[in-house]
Amino acid sequence: MLQLVGLGLADETDVTVKGLELIKKAKTVYLEAYTSILLVDSTKLEAYYGRPVVLADRELVESGSDEILADAKDSDVVFLVVGDPFGATTHSDLVLRARELSIPIQTVHNASVMSAIGATGLQLYNFGQAVSMVFFTESWKPSSFYDRLKENHTIGLHTLMLLDIKVKEQSMENLARGRKIYEPPRYMTVAQCASQMLEIEETRGDGICAASKLAVGVARLGATNQRFLAGTLEQLSESDLGAPLHSLILIGRRTHYLERDYLKEFAVDDLFERIWNEDYEDKK
Amino acid sequence: MLQLVGLGLADETDVTVKGLELIKKAKTVYLEAYTSILLVDSTKLEAYYGRPVVLADRELVESGSDEILADAKDSDVVFLVVGDPFGATTHSDLVLRARELSIPIQTVHNASVMSAIGATGLQLYNFGQAVSMVFFTESWKPSSFYDRLKENHTIGLHTLMLLDIKVKEQSMENLARGRKIYEPPRYMTVAQCASQMLEIEETRGDGICAASKLAVGVARLGATNQRFLAGTLEQLSESDLGAPLHSLILIGRRTHYLERDYLKEFAVDDLFERIWNEDYEDKK
């Protein structure tokens, strides 16, 4: 059996009791280690589980899934995913491949950023589609996120933005030369995301990501040192929320006063409440 | 301290290790028992935790929150919530009240229907705002859900519909006479939801909930006996997915072929794939 087990958001104790039992009994335990990270590293997980964990990078999951599934035919294989197994990154291709091979599948759900983000006080009902923000380069600044933000904005909805992480990436040169040398991991910060939004606003100009638009920066969601920072995009572009993972919420106009009351504790300064009261509340 | 602990979706082992440790140490443990239910009852939770659990109904949480918070000043009080504490129903009012009283707050996240719904194979990025469906009565058939569905439809997004539950409700007569006699609990089924959608379509007529629109019925998400059923709204209106809880997803047109491949295993019949290929795939 292929057992997809969500690990939740922060540390080794965020696993569910059901998930932990499967981990302890499985023949092999893989950890999907390229689309998100837990805030503790895998040696800590190994110590906690009392057993080895095989890191599964993109290469192994996408082209080596046969290797993962070979064992799952006759024994139990656990595939650990940070957050929920069907959260921001679905592993439906792996599951489809398992189905083709008639391998039974079990899913153990857990907290995902897609719902835990409600901890900011913003109501999940008021969120539209989520979007991803990738690292810009000198020559590649994809702006399709702006279209998605605009769609949500038109309806008055909040948007959760999931920020790029680069794990086990090769430089262009190393890739060209076929050298398996990897760059240090990079995690996009709230400040970088806000800056990229302001940059695209300059060319698009619809005001969706104007400097005065309200947003919430989120760091280390679910950890004891989690931080929320509410302010304008300009303020967030100058923020420092510390260690990863970060995400950002662009606030929509279909708001509820309880959302404001909850958020104002996390505001950079009074500007947040002033703009909210003038431009947001009941302004949809 | 007020400790909000998510219980996840199905049974007593869906609690996280972190959450279970808090439950075992807390002075008092409340279970929010009016907006959702776990698929096991609270006596099973009590046996599993080895301690009593106080059922908190709407009355206690909304008007008696002082009682819950009184203990949280000097000791740890756990407030259990099915799913995630900040999922479909936020308890931000309780948290705001705790903040006013300078009571520290800790949140232990868990799986929520808002993200676990990805288990259907539909990608969370392709979901717009979620909506609620309430039980219609002879004289009260609120149709604002139709406007929300239309907003999502215009963008091509899926919509998760959360279905009404009635727990500890009084009949009009008992309410009028001040008799604390409660009706048996009621949980909306996929069939009832689909029927109400078809009923409102008759008056609205924009085709958003036409009989041939594709949807997925979801029952007991996260449990070993969970069921998904993909088909037209008409087919789902005649379905029987068994015991609660149910929810329903109206499929949008911004689809990916992997979503279809994943879902077709759960289709009522070939009609699902035929309509998908003709009207949905890449039709946004």
Side-chain angles (χ1 to χ4, degrees):
Chain A
M1 188 183 289
L2 175 66
Q3 298 165 321
L4 302 161
V5 175
L7 290 182
L9 298 168
D11 65 45
E12 69 279 11
T13 63
D14 284 326
V15 71
T16 65
V17 173
K18 188 181 282 176
L20 186 58
E21 283 168 7
L22 296 182
I23 292 166
K24 293 201 164 173
K25 286 187 294 192
K27 180 172 178 198
T28 319
V29 179
Y30 292 94
L31 170 64
E32 192 269 66
Y34 60 97
T35 63
S36 190
I37 54 155
L38 216 57
L39 306 178
V40 296
D41 75 25
S42 63
T43 54
K44 195 145 186 187
L45 295 183
E46 290 185 322
Y48 189 70
Y49 304 152
R51 53 177 310 173
V53 168
V54 183
L55 290 187
D57 56 21
R58 191 183 298 274
E59 213 180 317
L60 181 65
V61 177
E62 290 179 2
S63 42
S65 65
D66 286 354
E67 192 182 324
I68 297 174
L69 295 176
D71 274 348
K73 279 195 166 175
D74 314 302
S75 49
D76 291 338
V77 170
V78 162
F79 187 74
L80 300 174
V81 179
V82 174
D84 186 272
F86 289 92
T89 308
T90 69
H91 292 281
S92 48
D93 38 0
L94 183 66
V95 175
L96 281 171
R97 185 88 189 90
R99 252 195 224 164
E100 277 169 28
L101 299 169
S102 305
I103 295 169
I105 294 138
Q106 180 181 1
T107 301
V108 180
H109 292 289
N110 208 324
S112 161
V113 58
M114 306 290 274
S115 46
I117 203 70
T120 56
L122 291 169
Q123 294 170 6
L124 292 185
Y125 282 97
N126 293 341
F127 279 76
Q129 60 195 315
V131 307
S132 302
M133 176 67 96
V134 299
F135 280 115
F136 286 1
T137 66
E138 272 309 304
S139 57
W140 192 62
K141 299 177 196 290
S143 66
S144 60
F145 75 86
Y146 196 90
D147 301 310
R148 304 285 90 75
L149 290 175
K150 195 170 169 180
E151 288 169 341
N152 286 346
H153 175 266
T154 305
I155 313 178
L157 299 173
H158 311 314
T159 308
L160 170 63
M161 303 188 70
L162 299 170
L163 311 191
D164 205 2
I165 77 172
K166 294 279 186 201
V167 180
K168 218 179 166 185
E169 298 276 326
Q170 289 164 281
S171 67
M172 290 304 277
E173 196 191 335
N174 285 328
L175 192 67
R177 292 170 189 258
R179 291 189 296 222
K180 297 213 164 180
I181 299 171
Y182 303 100
E183 301 299 301
R186 290 193 299 151
Y187 307 96
M188 190 182 291
T189 64
V190 163
Q192 287 170 320
C193 177
S195 299
Q196 294 192 171
M197 292 166 78
L198 294 171
E199 188 179 342
I200 295 300
E201 178 62 36
E202 279 178 35
T203 50
R204 292 297 195 94
D206 293 329
I208 308 296
C209 300
S212 63
K213 289 292 165 189
L214 296 182
V216 185
V218 175
R220 299 171 301 283
L221 183 63
T224 47
N225 65 347
Q226 86 180 357
R227 271 198 70 196
F228 301 146
L229 188 69
T232 65
L233 280 179
E234 186 168 32
Q235 288 175 327
L236 293 187
S237 74
E238 294 155 1
S239 67
D240 178 5
L241 291 174
L245 295 178
H246 290 192
S247 43
L248 184 144
I249 302 164
L250 186 66
I251 297 177
R253 281 186 163 156
R254 189 187 286 172
T255 53
H256 189 280
Y257 72 91
L258 269 179
E259 296 183 304
R260 180 202 56 208
D261 289 353
Y262 201 94
L263 272 176
K264 65 186 182 189
E265 166 153 318
F266 312 119
V268 177
D269 57 26
D270 293 348
L271 189 58
F272 176 80
E273 208 172 341
R274 207 157 68 233
I275 294 180
W276 183 292
N277 292 337
E278 277 169 20
D279 291 343
Y280 282 72
E281 189 128 342
D282 302 323
K283 293 300 185 300
K284 159 65 193 166
Chain B
M1 188 183 289
L2 175 66
Q3 298 166 321
L4 302 161
V5 175
L7 290 182
L9 298 168
D11 66 45
E12 68 280 11
T13 64
D14 283 326
V15 71
T16 65
V17 173
K18 187 181 282 174
L20 186 57
E21 283 168 7
L22 296 183
I23 292 166
K24 293 202 163 171
K25 286 189 295 191
K27 181 171 176 197
T28 319
V29 179
Y30 292 93
L31 170 64
E32 192 270 67
Y34 60 98
T35 63
S36 189
I37 55 154
L38 217 57
L39 306 178
V40 296
D41 75 26
S42 62
T43 54
K44 195 145 186 187
L45 294 183
E46 290 186 323
Y48 188 71
Y49 304 151
R51 52 176 311 172
V53 168
V54 183
L55 291 187
D57 57 20
R58 192 184 297 273
E59 213 179 318
L60 181 65
V61 177
E62 289 178 3
S63 41
S65 65
D66 287 353
E67 191 182 325
I68 297 173
L69 295 175
D71 273 348
K73 279 195 167 177
D74 314 302
S75 48
D76 291 338
V77 169
V78 162
F79 188 75
L80 300 174
V81 179
V82 174
D84 186 89
F86 289 92
T89 309
T90 70
H91 292 281
S92 48
D93 39 0
L94 183 65
V95 174
L96 282 171
R97 186 88 189 89
R99 251 195 226 163
E100 277 170 27
L101 299 169
S102 305
I103 295 170
I105 294 138
Q106 180 181 1
T107 302
V108 180
H109 292 288
N110 208 324
S112 161
V113 59
M114 307 289 273
S115 45
I117 202 72
T120 55
L122 292 169
Q123 294 171 5
L124 291 186
Y125 283 97
N126 292 341
F127 278 77
Q129 60 195 315
V131 307
S132 302
M133 176 67 96
V134 299
F135 280 114
F136 286 180
T137 65
E138 273 307 306
S139 57
W140 191 63
K141 301 178 195 289
S143 66
S144 61
F145 75 87
Y146 197 90
D147 302 310
R148 304 285 90 76
L149 291 175
K150 194 171 171 183
E151 288 169 342
N152 287 346
H153 175 265
T154 305
I155 313 178
L157 300 172
H158 311 314
T159 308
L160 169 63
M161 303 189 69
L162 299 170
L163 311 190
D164 205 2
I165 76 172
K166 294 278 187 200
V167 181
K168 218 179 167 186
E169 298 276 325
Q170 289 164 282
S171 67
M172 291 305 276
E173 195 191 337
N174 285 327
L175 191 67
R177 292 171 189 258
R179 292 189 295 222
K180 297 214 163 180
I181 299 171
Y182 303 101
E183 302 299 301
R186 291 193 300 152
Y187 307 97
M188 189 183 290
T189 64
V190 163
Q192 287 170 319
C193 177
S195 300
Q196 293 191 171
M197 292 167 77
L198 295 172
E199 187 179 346
I200 296 300
E201 178 62 36
E202 279 179 32
T203 50
R204 291 296 196 96
D206 293 328
I208 309 295
C209 300
S212 64
K213 289 292 163 188
L214 296 182
V216 184
V218 175
R220 299 170 302 284
L221 182 63
T224 47
N225 64 348
Q226 86 182 357
R227 270 197 70 196
F228 301 145
L229 189 69
T232 65
L233 281 180
E234 187 168 31
Q235 287 175 328
L236 293 187
S237 74
E238 294 154 2
S239 67
D240 178 5
L241 291 174
L245 295 177
H246 291 191
S247 43
L248 184 145
I249 302 165
L250 186 66
I251 296 178
R253 281 186 163 156
R254 188 188 286 172
T255 52
H256 189 280
Y257 71 91
L258 270 179
E259 296 183 305
R260 179 203 55 207
D261 289 354
Y262 201 95
L263 271 175
K264 65 186 181 189
E265 168 153 317
F266 311 119
V268 177
D269 57 26
D270 293 348
L271 189 59
F272 177 79
E273 208 172 340
R274 207 158 68 232
I275 294 180
W276 182 293
N277 292 337
E278 277 169 19
D279 290 342
Y280 281 73
E281 189 128 341
D282 302 322
K283 293 299 186 299
K284 160 67 194 165

